[in-house]
Short mmCIF file of all heavy atoms in Angstrom, two decimals:
data_model
loop_
_atom_site.label_atom_id
_atom_site.label_comp_id
_atom_site.label_asym_id
_atom_site.label_seq_id
_atom_site.Cartn_x
_atom_site.Cartn_y
_atom_site.Cartn_z
N MET I 1 100.94 104.94 90.84
CA MET I 1 100.20 103.74 91.21
C MET I 1 99.70 103.02 89.96
O MET I 1 99.79 101.82 89.89
CB MET I 1 99.05 104.13 92.14
CG MET I 1 98.21 102.99 92.61
SD MET I 1 99.12 101.95 93.76
CE MET I 1 97.87 100.88 94.31
N LYS I 2 99.21 103.78 89.00
CA LYS I 2 98.67 103.17 87.79
C LYS I 2 99.76 102.46 87.00
O LYS I 2 99.52 101.40 86.42
CB LYS I 2 97.97 104.20 86.92
CG LYS I 2 96.74 104.78 87.59
CD LYS I 2 95.70 105.14 86.57
CE LYS I 2 94.52 105.77 87.25
NZ LYS I 2 93.52 104.82 87.64
N LYS I 3 100.96 103.02 87.01
CA LYS I 3 102.08 102.38 86.30
C LYS I 3 102.46 101.06 86.98
O LYS I 3 102.72 100.07 86.31
CB LYS I 3 103.28 103.32 86.22
CG LYS I 3 103.09 104.47 85.27
CD LYS I 3 104.33 105.33 85.21
CE LYS I 3 104.14 106.47 84.23
NZ LYS I 3 105.37 107.26 84.07
N LEU I 4 102.49 101.06 88.29
CA LEU I 4 102.79 99.83 89.02
C LEU I 4 101.70 98.78 88.79
O LEU I 4 102.00 97.60 88.63
CB LEU I 4 102.93 100.10 90.52
CG LEU I 4 104.19 100.82 90.97
CD1 LEU I 4 104.11 101.15 92.45
CD2 LEU I 4 105.42 99.99 90.68
N GLN I 5 100.45 99.22 88.76
CA GLN I 5 99.36 98.29 88.50
C GLN I 5 99.47 97.71 87.10
O GLN I 5 99.22 96.52 86.89
CB GLN I 5 98.01 98.98 88.69
CG GLN I 5 97.69 99.27 90.13
CD GLN I 5 96.42 100.09 90.29
OE1 GLN I 5 96.03 100.85 89.41
NE2 GLN I 5 95.78 99.95 91.44
N PHE I 6 99.84 98.54 86.13
CA PHE I 6 100.02 98.06 84.77
C PHE I 6 101.10 96.98 84.74
O PHE I 6 100.93 95.93 84.11
CB PHE I 6 100.40 99.21 83.83
CG PHE I 6 100.58 98.77 82.40
CD1 PHE I 6 99.49 98.71 81.55
CD2 PHE I 6 101.83 98.41 81.91
CE1 PHE I 6 99.65 98.30 80.24
CE2 PHE I 6 102.00 97.99 80.61
CZ PHE I 6 100.89 97.94 79.76
N LEU I 7 102.22 97.23 85.43
CA LEU I 7 103.28 96.22 85.48
C LEU I 7 102.79 94.95 86.15
O LEU I 7 103.10 93.84 85.71
CB LEU I 7 104.50 96.76 86.23
CG LEU I 7 105.42 97.71 85.49
CD1 LEU I 7 106.56 98.15 86.39
CD2 LEU I 7 105.98 97.08 84.23
N GLY I 8 102.03 95.10 87.21
CA GLY I 8 101.51 93.93 87.92
C GLY I 8 100.64 93.05 87.03
O GLY I 8 100.65 91.83 87.15
N LEU I 9 99.93 93.66 86.12
CA LEU I 9 99.04 92.91 85.23
C LEU I 9 99.73 92.43 83.96
O LEU I 9 99.34 91.40 83.40
CB LEU I 9 97.83 93.76 84.85
CG LEU I 9 96.87 94.10 85.99
CD1 LEU I 9 95.84 95.11 85.51
CD2 LEU I 9 96.19 92.84 86.50
N ASN I 10 100.74 93.14 83.50
CA ASN I 10 101.30 92.86 82.17
C ASN I 10 102.75 92.41 82.15
O ASN I 10 103.23 91.98 81.11
CB ASN I 10 101.16 94.12 81.28
CG ASN I 10 99.72 94.49 81.09
OD1 ASN I 10 98.98 93.79 80.43
ND2 ASN I 10 99.31 95.59 81.70
N PHE I 11 103.45 92.53 83.26
CA PHE I 11 104.86 92.16 83.29
C PHE I 11 105.01 90.68 83.62
O PHE I 11 104.55 90.23 84.67
CB PHE I 11 105.60 93.02 84.31
CG PHE I 11 107.04 92.62 84.54
CD1 PHE I 11 107.96 92.68 83.51
CD2 PHE I 11 107.46 92.19 85.77
CE1 PHE I 11 109.28 92.32 83.71
CE2 PHE I 11 108.77 91.83 86.01
CZ PHE I 11 109.68 91.89 84.96
N ASP I 12 105.66 89.95 82.73
CA ASP I 12 105.97 88.54 82.97
C ASP I 12 107.48 88.43 83.17
O ASP I 12 108.25 88.54 82.21
CB ASP I 12 105.54 87.69 81.77
CG ASP I 12 105.86 86.21 81.95
OD1 ASP I 12 106.38 85.82 83.02
OD2 ASP I 12 105.59 85.45 81.01
N PRO I 13 107.93 88.24 84.41
CA PRO I 13 109.37 88.23 84.66
C PRO I 13 110.11 87.07 83.99
O PRO I 13 111.32 87.12 83.83
CB PRO I 13 109.46 88.13 86.18
CG PRO I 13 108.16 87.63 86.64
CD PRO I 13 107.15 88.04 85.62
N PHE I 14 109.38 86.05 83.55
CA PHE I 14 110.02 84.91 82.90
C PHE I 14 109.97 84.99 81.38
O PHE I 14 110.48 84.11 80.70
CB PHE I 14 109.38 83.60 83.38
CG PHE I 14 109.71 83.29 84.81
CD1 PHE I 14 108.81 83.61 85.82
CD2 PHE I 14 110.91 82.71 85.16
CE1 PHE I 14 109.11 83.34 87.14
CE2 PHE I 14 111.22 82.43 86.48
CZ PHE I 14 110.32 82.75 87.48
N ALA I 15 109.36 86.02 80.84
CA ALA I 15 109.28 86.18 79.38
C ALA I 15 110.66 86.54 78.84
O ALA I 15 111.44 87.23 79.49
CB ALA I 15 108.27 87.25 79.02
N THR I 16 110.93 86.06 77.63
CA THR I 16 112.23 86.38 77.02
C THR I 16 112.27 87.80 76.49
O THR I 16 113.33 88.41 76.44
CB THR I 16 112.55 85.39 75.89
OG1 THR I 16 111.47 85.40 74.95
CG2 THR I 16 112.75 83.99 76.43
N GLU I 17 111.12 88.33 76.11
CA GLU I 17 111.05 89.71 75.62
C GLU I 17 109.95 90.44 76.37
O GLU I 17 108.89 89.90 76.64
CB GLU I 17 110.75 89.74 74.13
CG GLU I 17 111.89 89.26 73.27
CD GLU I 17 111.61 89.47 71.78
OE1 GLU I 17 110.87 90.42 71.44
OE2 GLU I 17 112.13 88.69 70.99
N LEU I 18 110.23 91.71 76.70
CA LEU I 18 109.25 92.54 77.39
C LEU I 18 108.54 93.42 76.37
O LEU I 18 109.10 93.79 75.36
CB LEU I 18 109.95 93.44 78.41
CG LEU I 18 110.68 92.77 79.55
CD1 LEU I 18 111.39 93.82 80.39
CD2 LEU I 18 109.71 91.99 80.41
N SER I 19 107.31 93.77 76.71
CA SER I 19 106.60 94.72 75.85
C SER I 19 107.26 96.09 75.99
O SER I 19 107.89 96.39 77.01
CB SER I 19 105.12 94.79 76.24
OG SER I 19 104.97 95.42 77.49
N SER I 20 107.10 96.91 74.98
CA SER I 20 107.71 98.24 75.03
C SER I 20 107.11 99.08 76.16
O SER I 20 107.80 99.89 76.77
CB SER I 20 107.55 98.95 73.68
OG SER I 20 106.19 99.09 73.35
N GLU I 21 105.82 98.86 76.45
CA GLU I 21 105.18 99.60 77.54
C GLU I 21 105.81 99.25 78.88
O GLU I 21 106.10 100.12 79.68
CB GLU I 21 103.67 99.32 77.59
CG GLU I 21 102.90 99.83 76.39
CD GLU I 21 102.78 98.79 75.29
OE1 GLU I 21 103.40 97.70 75.40
OE2 GLU I 21 102.09 99.07 74.30
N CYS I 22 106.01 97.95 79.11
CA CYS I 22 106.63 97.52 80.37
C CYS I 22 108.06 98.04 80.48
O CYS I 22 108.47 98.50 81.56
CB CYS I 22 106.61 96.00 80.48
SG CYS I 22 104.98 95.30 80.85
N GLU I 23 108.81 97.96 79.39
CA GLU I 23 110.18 98.47 79.42
C GLU I 23 110.22 99.96 79.75
O GLU I 23 111.05 100.41 80.53
CB GLU I 23 110.86 98.24 78.07
CG GLU I 23 111.31 96.82 77.85
CD GLU I 23 112.06 96.66 76.53
OE1 GLU I 23 112.47 97.67 75.92
OE2 GLU I 23 112.22 95.51 76.11
N GLN I 24 109.31 100.72 79.15
CA GLN I 24 109.27 102.16 79.37
C GLN I 24 108.92 102.47 80.83
O GLN I 24 109.56 103.32 81.46
CB GLN I 24 108.27 102.83 78.44
CG GLN I 24 108.22 104.33 78.61
CD GLN I 24 107.25 105.00 77.65
OE1 GLN I 24 106.61 104.34 76.85
NE2 GLN I 24 107.14 106.30 77.75
N ILE I 25 107.92 101.80 81.37
CA ILE I 25 107.51 102.04 82.76
C ILE I 25 108.63 101.66 83.72
O ILE I 25 108.93 102.39 84.66
CB ILE I 25 106.21 101.28 83.09
CG1 ILE I 25 105.04 101.90 82.31
CG2 ILE I 25 105.93 101.30 84.59
CD1 ILE I 25 103.77 101.09 82.38
N MET I 26 109.25 100.52 83.47
CA MET I 26 110.35 100.09 84.34
C MET I 26 111.49 101.11 84.30
O MET I 26 112.09 101.41 85.33
CB MET I 26 110.84 98.70 83.91
CG MET I 26 109.85 97.60 84.26
SD MET I 26 110.18 96.01 83.47
CE MET I 26 111.84 95.67 83.99
N GLY I 27 111.78 101.65 83.13
CA GLY I 27 112.81 102.68 83.01
C GLY I 27 112.42 103.96 83.72
O GLY I 27 113.24 104.56 84.42
N ASP I 28 111.16 104.38 83.53
CA ASP I 28 110.69 105.61 84.17
C ASP I 28 110.76 105.53 85.69
O ASP I 28 111.06 106.51 86.36
CB ASP I 28 109.24 105.90 83.77
CG ASP I 28 109.08 106.31 82.31
OD1 ASP I 28 110.10 106.61 81.66
OD2 ASP I 28 107.93 106.31 81.83
N LEU I 29 110.47 104.35 86.23
CA LEU I 29 110.45 104.17 87.68
C LEU I 29 111.79 103.70 88.25
O LEU I 29 111.92 103.50 89.46
CB LEU I 29 109.34 103.18 88.07
CG LEU I 29 107.91 103.58 87.71
CD1 LEU I 29 106.94 102.47 88.07
CD2 LEU I 29 107.51 104.87 88.39
N GLY I 30 112.76 103.49 87.37
CA GLY I 30 114.08 103.03 87.82
C GLY I 30 114.08 101.61 88.34
O GLY I 30 114.83 101.28 89.25
N LEU I 31 113.26 100.77 87.75
CA LEU I 31 113.12 99.39 88.23
C LEU I 31 113.80 98.35 87.34
O LEU I 31 113.80 97.17 87.67
CB LEU I 31 111.63 99.03 88.35
CG LEU I 31 110.82 99.83 89.35
CD1 LEU I 31 109.35 99.47 89.26
CD2 LEU I 31 111.33 99.59 90.75
N THR I 32 114.37 98.77 86.23
CA THR I 32 114.90 97.81 85.26
C THR I 32 115.90 96.85 85.90
O THR I 32 115.79 95.64 85.74
CB THR I 32 115.54 98.56 84.07
OG1 THR I 32 114.56 99.45 83.52
CG2 THR I 32 116.02 97.61 83.01
N GLU I 33 116.87 97.38 86.61
CA GLU I 33 117.89 96.53 87.23
C GLU I 33 117.31 95.65 88.33
O GLU I 33 117.69 94.49 88.49
CB GLU I 33 119.03 97.38 87.80
CG GLU I 33 119.90 98.01 86.75
CD GLU I 33 120.62 96.97 85.88
OE1 GLU I 33 121.14 95.98 86.44
OE2 GLU I 33 120.64 97.16 84.65
N HIS I 34 116.35 96.18 89.08
CA HIS I 34 115.78 95.45 90.21
C HIS I 34 114.89 94.29 89.76
O HIS I 34 114.72 93.32 90.50
CB HIS I 34 114.97 96.40 91.09
CG HIS I 34 115.76 97.51 91.66
ND1 HIS I 34 116.71 97.33 92.66
CD2 HIS I 34 115.79 98.83 91.37
CE1 HIS I 34 117.27 98.48 92.95
NE2 HIS I 34 116.73 99.41 92.18
N LEU I 35 114.32 94.40 88.57
CA LEU I 35 113.38 93.37 88.11
C LEU I 35 114.02 92.39 87.14
O LEU I 35 113.32 91.59 86.53
CB LEU I 35 112.16 94.03 87.47
CG LEU I 35 111.35 94.96 88.38
CD1 LEU I 35 110.16 95.54 87.64
CD2 LEU I 35 110.88 94.23 89.63
N LYS I 36 115.34 92.40 87.03
CA LYS I 36 116.01 91.46 86.12
C LYS I 36 115.94 90.02 86.63
O LYS I 36 115.89 89.09 85.84
CB LYS I 36 117.47 91.86 85.89
CG LYS I 36 117.60 92.99 84.90
CD LYS I 36 119.04 93.22 84.54
CE LYS I 36 119.12 94.29 83.46
NZ LYS I 36 120.49 94.50 83.03
N ASN I 37 115.98 89.84 87.93
CA ASN I 37 115.90 88.50 88.50
C ASN I 37 114.42 88.12 88.57
O ASN I 37 113.67 88.68 89.37
CB ASN I 37 116.53 88.47 89.89
CG ASN I 37 116.50 87.10 90.53
OD1 ASN I 37 115.68 86.26 90.21
ND2 ASN I 37 117.40 86.90 91.47
N PRO I 38 113.98 87.15 87.76
CA PRO I 38 112.55 86.82 87.73
C PRO I 38 112.01 86.29 89.05
O PRO I 38 110.82 86.43 89.32
CB PRO I 38 112.44 85.77 86.62
CG PRO I 38 113.80 85.25 86.43
CD PRO I 38 114.75 86.32 86.85
N TYR I 39 112.87 85.71 89.86
CA TYR I 39 112.40 85.16 91.14
C TYR I 39 112.16 86.26 92.17
O TYR I 39 111.35 86.11 93.07
CB TYR I 39 113.40 84.14 91.67
CG TYR I 39 113.54 82.96 90.74
CD1 TYR I 39 114.61 82.85 89.88
CD2 TYR I 39 112.56 81.98 90.70
CE1 TYR I 39 114.73 81.77 89.01
CE2 TYR I 39 112.66 80.90 89.83
CZ TYR I 39 113.75 80.82 88.99
OH TYR I 39 113.84 79.76 88.13
N LEU I 40 112.86 87.36 92.05
CA LEU I 40 112.66 88.49 92.97
C LEU I 40 111.70 89.52 92.42
O LEU I 40 111.12 90.29 93.17
CB LEU I 40 114.01 89.16 93.25
CG LEU I 40 115.03 88.35 94.03
CD1 LEU I 40 116.33 89.12 94.16
CD2 LEU I 40 114.50 87.99 95.40
N ALA I 41 111.53 89.56 91.11
CA ALA I 41 110.74 90.61 90.46
C ALA I 41 109.31 90.69 90.99
O ALA I 41 108.81 91.77 91.31
CB ALA I 41 110.74 90.41 88.95
N THR I 42 108.66 89.55 91.08
CA THR I 42 107.27 89.54 91.54
C THR I 42 107.18 90.03 92.98
O THR I 42 106.30 90.83 93.31
CB THR I 42 106.66 88.13 91.42
OG1 THR I 42 106.78 87.70 90.06
CG2 THR I 42 105.21 88.11 91.85
N ASN I 43 108.08 89.59 93.81
CA ASN I 43 108.10 90.01 95.21
C ASN I 43 108.32 91.51 95.33
O ASN I 43 107.64 92.20 96.09
CB ASN I 43 109.18 89.24 95.97
CG ASN I 43 109.11 89.49 97.46
OD1 ASN I 43 108.04 89.75 98.01
ND2 ASN I 43 110.25 89.40 98.12
N ILE I 44 109.26 92.04 94.57
CA ILE I 44 109.55 93.47 94.59
C ILE I 44 108.35 94.27 94.12
O ILE I 44 107.95 95.25 94.75
CB ILE I 44 110.79 93.79 93.72
CG1 ILE I 44 112.04 93.21 94.36
CG2 ILE I 44 110.92 95.29 93.48
CD1 ILE I 44 113.27 93.24 93.47
N LEU I 45 107.75 93.83 93.02
CA LEU I 45 106.60 94.55 92.47
C LEU I 45 105.41 94.55 93.42
O LEU I 45 104.78 95.58 93.65
CB LEU I 45 106.21 93.94 91.12
CG LEU I 45 105.19 94.68 90.29
CD1 LEU I 45 105.60 96.12 90.06
CD2 LEU I 45 104.99 93.98 88.96
N LEU I 46 105.13 93.41 94.02
CA LEU I 46 104.03 93.34 94.99
C LEU I 46 104.30 94.19 96.22
O LEU I 46 103.40 94.84 96.75
CB LEU I 46 103.76 91.89 95.38
CG LEU I 46 103.13 91.01 94.31
CD1 LEU I 46 103.07 89.57 94.79
CD2 LEU I 46 101.76 91.51 93.92
N SER I 47 105.53 94.21 96.65
CA SER I 47 105.91 95.04 97.80
C SER I 47 105.73 96.52 97.48
O SER I 47 105.21 97.28 98.31
CB SER I 47 107.35 94.74 98.19
OG SER I 47 107.75 95.54 99.26
N LEU I 48 106.15 96.93 96.30
CA LEU I 48 105.98 98.34 95.90
C LEU I 48 104.51 98.71 95.80
O LEU I 48 104.11 99.79 96.23
CB LEU I 48 106.67 98.58 94.56
CG LEU I 48 108.18 98.64 94.58
CD1 LEU I 48 108.73 98.66 93.15
CD2 LEU I 48 108.67 99.84 95.36
N LEU I 49 103.70 97.83 95.25
CA LEU I 49 102.27 98.08 95.16
C LEU I 49 101.65 98.22 96.55
O LEU I 49 100.84 99.12 96.79
CB LEU I 49 101.57 96.97 94.38
CG LEU I 49 101.67 97.05 92.87
CD1 LEU I 49 101.27 95.72 92.24
CD2 LEU I 49 100.79 98.17 92.34
N ASP I 50 102.03 97.35 97.45
CA ASP I 50 101.50 97.39 98.81
C ASP I 50 101.88 98.68 99.53
O ASP I 50 101.04 99.34 100.13
CB ASP I 50 102.00 96.17 99.59
CG ASP I 50 101.35 96.04 100.95
OD1 ASP I 50 100.11 96.19 101.03
OD2 ASP I 50 102.07 95.80 101.93
N LYS I 51 103.15 99.05 99.44
CA LYS I 51 103.62 100.28 100.11
C LYS I 51 102.98 101.52 99.51
O LYS I 51 102.64 102.46 100.24
CB LYS I 51 105.14 100.36 100.04
CG LYS I 51 105.82 99.35 100.93
CD LYS I 51 107.31 99.43 100.84
CE LYS I 51 107.89 98.32 101.70
NZ LYS I 51 109.31 98.46 101.94
N THR I 52 102.81 101.53 98.19
CA THR I 52 102.18 102.67 97.54
C THR I 52 100.73 102.79 97.95
O THR I 52 100.24 103.89 98.24
CB THR I 52 102.29 102.53 96.00
OG1 THR I 52 103.66 102.40 95.65
CG2 THR I 52 101.69 103.74 95.30
N GLU I 53 100.04 101.67 98.02
CA GLU I 53 98.63 101.67 98.44
C GLU I 53 98.51 102.16 99.88
O GLU I 53 97.62 102.95 100.21
CB GLU I 53 98.03 100.29 98.29
CG GLU I 53 96.56 100.25 98.55
CD GLU I 53 95.94 98.89 98.28
OE1 GLU I 53 96.62 98.02 97.71
OE2 GLU I 53 94.78 98.71 98.64
N GLU I 54 99.40 101.70 100.77
CA GLU I 54 99.39 102.14 102.16
C GLU I 54 99.61 103.65 102.25
O GLU I 54 98.94 104.36 103.01
CB GLU I 54 100.47 101.43 102.96
CG GLU I 54 100.17 99.99 103.29
CD GLU I 54 101.32 99.31 104.02
OE1 GLU I 54 102.26 100.01 104.47
OE2 GLU I 54 101.28 98.09 104.14
N HIS I 55 100.57 104.16 101.46
CA HIS I 55 100.86 105.59 101.48
C HIS I 55 99.67 106.41 100.98
O HIS I 55 99.33 107.44 101.57
CB HIS I 55 102.10 105.87 100.63
CG HIS I 55 102.55 107.28 100.67
ND1 HIS I 55 103.09 107.86 101.80
CD2 HIS I 55 102.54 108.24 99.73
CE1 HIS I 55 103.37 109.12 101.55
NE2 HIS I 55 103.05 109.38 100.28
N LEU I 56 99.02 105.95 99.92
CA LEU I 56 97.86 106.66 99.40
C LEU I 56 96.71 106.65 100.40
O LEU I 56 95.99 107.64 100.55
CB LEU I 56 97.39 106.04 98.07
CG LEU I 56 98.30 106.30 96.87
CD1 LEU I 56 97.82 105.49 95.67
CD2 LEU I 56 98.33 107.77 96.54
N THR I 57 96.53 105.55 101.11
CA THR I 57 95.49 105.46 102.12
C THR I 57 95.75 106.45 103.25
O THR I 57 94.82 107.12 103.73
CB THR I 57 95.40 104.02 102.68
OG1 THR I 57 95.14 103.12 101.60
CG2 THR I 57 94.31 103.90 103.72
N LYS I 58 97.01 106.56 103.67
CA LYS I 58 97.35 107.52 104.73
C LYS I 58 97.11 108.96 104.27
O LYS I 58 96.67 109.79 105.06
CB LYS I 58 98.81 107.36 105.13
CG LYS I 58 99.08 106.13 105.95
CD LYS I 58 100.55 106.01 106.31
CE LYS I 58 100.81 104.73 107.05
NZ LYS I 58 102.25 104.57 107.38
N LEU I 59 97.39 109.24 103.01
CA LEU I 59 97.18 110.60 102.51
C LEU I 59 95.69 110.96 102.44
O LEU I 59 95.33 112.11 102.62
CB LEU I 59 97.78 110.74 101.11
CG LEU I 59 99.30 110.75 101.04
CD1 LEU I 59 99.75 110.77 99.58
CD2 LEU I 59 99.88 111.95 101.77
N LYS I 60 94.84 109.97 102.22
CA LYS I 60 93.41 110.22 102.12
C LYS I 60 92.79 110.46 103.48
O LYS I 60 91.71 111.03 103.58
CB LYS I 60 92.71 109.04 101.44
CG LYS I 60 93.02 108.95 99.96
CD LYS I 60 92.31 107.77 99.33
CE LYS I 60 92.65 107.64 97.88
NZ LYS I 60 92.01 106.47 97.27
N GLN I 61 93.42 110.00 104.55
CA GLN I 61 92.86 110.14 105.89
C GLN I 61 93.01 111.51 106.45
O GLN I 61 93.71 112.32 106.30
CB GLN I 61 93.47 109.13 106.85
CG GLN I 61 93.08 107.73 106.47
CD GLN I 61 93.74 106.70 107.39
OE1 GLN I 61 94.63 107.01 108.17
NE2 GLN I 61 93.31 105.48 107.27
#
């Protein structure tokens, strides 16, 4: 969850160069190919954050 949150705050899908931290997290999570399209990247990232938050909430109950 923390890695996804970091990407949500620091990943700019329209930037020409990514930070090394964002590249590493995207690689670790297998998201590099999925986030190449800047128009879909934000939607994908927000969807992953939402689903992860829902799953964590269910686990806490």
Side-chain angles (χ1 to χ4, degrees):
M1 180 70 172
K2 295 212 183 269
K3 289 182 179 184
L4 287 174
Q5 289 174 333
F6 181 87
L7 282 179
L9 293 172
N10 298 291
F11 173 62
D12 179 3
F14 290 98
T16 55
E17 290 187 29
L18 297 176
S19 70
S20 60
E21 294 91 355
C22 286
E23 283 184 15
Q24 182 179 359
I25 292 170
M26 289 167 56
D28 291 347
L29 299 176
L31 297 174
T32 305
E33 289 298 316
H34 300 289
L35 300 181
K36 281 189 176 183
N37 181 336
Y39 297 101
L40 293 176
T42 303
N43 188 29
I44 291 169
L45 189 54
L46 289 173
S47 178
L48 286 171
L49 280 165
D50 187 46
K51 289 179 183 193
T52 304
E53 187 175 350
E54 285 177 12
H55 185 69
L56 288 173
T57 302
K58 287 179 183 178
L59 289 175
K60 289 180 182 178
Q61 293 177 349

